[in-house]
Amino acid sequence: MTGFLIRRLGGAVLVLFALTAILYGIFYVAPGNVAQLVCGPRCSPAQLAQVTGQLRLDDPLYVQYGHFLQGIVAGRDFSTGTGVEHCSAPCLGVSYQSDQQVTQLILAKLPVTGSLVVGAFAGWLLLGVGTGVLSAWRRGRPTERVLTWLTLAGSATPVFVIGLLLIIVFCSTLQWLPAPGYVPFAEDPEQWAWGLLLPWASLALIESAKYARLTRSAMLETLAEDHVRTFRAYGVGERALVGRHALRGAVAPVIALSALDFGTMFGGAVLTESLFGIPGIGRELVSAVKLVDLPVVVGMVLVTGFFVVLANAVADLLYALADRRVVLS
């Protein structure tokens, strides 16, 4: 197990290193003159030269990339024109628009998006896997047909449609819930939960559809395997077969999909955050793209990639715990 974890950790580090190189190349090399973006359209040649020196854009490309990596690992100093500002590791640069350190900006938004993702993740996993198991267990019955149609409808419905319907029904018509929003957990845990209930439900209803379909197909495949038929021949009950044997064999594809969705949702819940007025990473990323604030864009994409890699590393560990044969691969 130790060797397996070391191999997976080494692979994760290599993936993150490659991601930094790709992002740096795409956002800092491809656009052209970064100093012009920072300085603005009315920048004089003298001001442009000053900004180029402050950002060290006159250094060779490999030196610039080395400074970028140095900031992530050990921190770095930035010239502000009137002095020098130190950015502690992991330093992802300084915003062109607000002069705020990108790491601080992300740390301020991370609890918001984290609250949204974790709650929605638990909801879509429980609802999706439970629906898939029930659909496979009731194969050929009316229950399965109803659940199949519901999952198809959930897959085809955009998240903003579900969100708007939930707001209209529960906030405007029935007035059972307050207007959605974000309140810090430390400030008021109850309002934190009520404010995120509808965003959680919207994401859970949409995402659970594909988990239900995936779980159903994996369960049906596992239930048709020889060892399950042997257990059934020996008189093992259907509930025990489904819950103790078939579900464990069908969990692998669910783990893989959940790892990918959990990581990408940190930067991909843009519509949900915009619809419900949640000031998370997704909304900040869209704003940074509009303003061509490259350090913020690169930092947030890199953080999203980090969570994807981290989630897949955890998925590898869960694979190993669920099936010891994975450790030997």
Side-chain angles (χ1 to χ4, degrees):
M1 177 68 74
T2 302
F4 172 80
L5 293 178
I6 292 175
R7 292 195 303 271
R8 291 297 187 266
L9 180 61
V13 172
L14 290 177
V15 169
L16 287 175
F17 177 77
L19 181 62
T20 60
I22 294 171
L23 289 177
Y24 193 86
I26 291 175
F27 289 102
Y28 284 102
V29 178
N33 195 341
V34 176
Q36 188 68 56
L37 293 174
V38 179
C39 197
R42 300 182 179 179
C43 187
S44 66
Q47 292 173 326
L48 185 63
Q50 181 183 5
V51 172
T52 301
Q54 291 175 2
L55 298 177
R56 297 182 178 179
L57 297 175
D58 48 358
D59 293 334
L61 181 59
Y62 68 90
V63 175
Q64 297 179 44
Y65 180 60
H67 289 318
F68 180 72
L69 290 180
Q70 175 191 347
I72 296 176
V73 177
R76 59 182 295 194
D77 295 330
F78 286 90
S79 174
T80 61
T82 58
V84 177
E85 178 183 352
H86 180 71
C87 180
S88 302
C91 178
L92 299 173
V94 177
S95 170
Y96 293 161
Q97 301 297 326
S98 64
D99 291 330
Q100 184 180 2
Q101 294 184 13
V102 176
T103 305
Q104 295 177 355
L105 194 151
I106 292 175
L107 289 177
K109 303 295 182 181
L110 195 58
V112 182
T113 300
S115 299
L116 174 64
V117 172
V118 171
F121 176 77
W124 81 54
L125 204 58
L126 290 173
L127 182 60
V129 173
T131 302
V133 171
L134 182 60
S135 180
W137 188 22
R138 298 293 183 180
R139 182 182 182 184
R141 301 181 183 181
T143 304
E144 184 207 9
R145 288 190 287 271
V146 171
L147 293 176
T148 299
W149 280 106
L150 288 176
T151 54
L152 287 174
S155 300
T157 307
V159 66
F160 62 86
V161 173
I162 295 291
L164 285 174
L165 287 175
L166 291 178
I167 292 174
I168 292 172
V169 172
F170 292 101
C171 296
S172 300
T173 305
L174 299 177
Q175 296 184 353
W176 288 354
L177 295 174
Y182 179 77
V183 177
F185 180 83
E187 182 178 321
D188 191 334
E190 183 178 355
Q191 289 301 317
W192 169 83
W194 283 115
L196 290 173
L197 186 60
L198 290 185
W200 285 342
S202 299
L203 281 175
L205 289 172
I206 295 298
E207 294 294 326
S208 64
K210 59 183 177 183
Y211 282 86
R213 297 171 66 184
L214 180 64
T215 303
R216 176 185 177 277
S217 116
M219 285 286 296
L220 292 176
E221 183 178 346
T222 306
L223 287 171
E225 292 181 355
D226 292 339
H227 71 282
V228 175
R229 289 201 299 266
T230 302
F231 283 132
R232 186 180 285 112
Y234 276 100
V236 178
E238 286 298 319
R239 290 188 179 182
L241 281 175
V242 170
R244 191 177 304 172
H245 303 288
L247 182 58
R248 184 173 181 179
V251 77
V254 175
I255 292 176
L257 182 61
S258 61
L260 181 62
D261 284 344
F262 183 83
T264 54
M265 195 58 67
F266 273 88
V270 178
L271 288 176
T272 305
E273 291 180 355
S274 300
L275 177 63
F276 292 101
I278 299 174
I281 290 178
R283 285 183 64 187
E284 190 68 28
L285 179 58
V286 172
S287 176
V289 170
K290 291 180 180 179
L291 297 173
V292 200
D293 199 347
L294 295 182
V296 177
V297 175
V298 171
M300 290 192 168
V301 174
L302 188 59
V303 167
T304 302
F306 168 78
F307 278 107
V308 172
V309 173
L310 178 63
N312 279 277
V314 174
D316 287 338
L317 178 60
L318 294 177
Y319 281 149
L321 294 176
D323 188 350
R324 298 291 298 180
R325 293 174 295 178
V326 175
V327 179
L328 301 178
S329 61

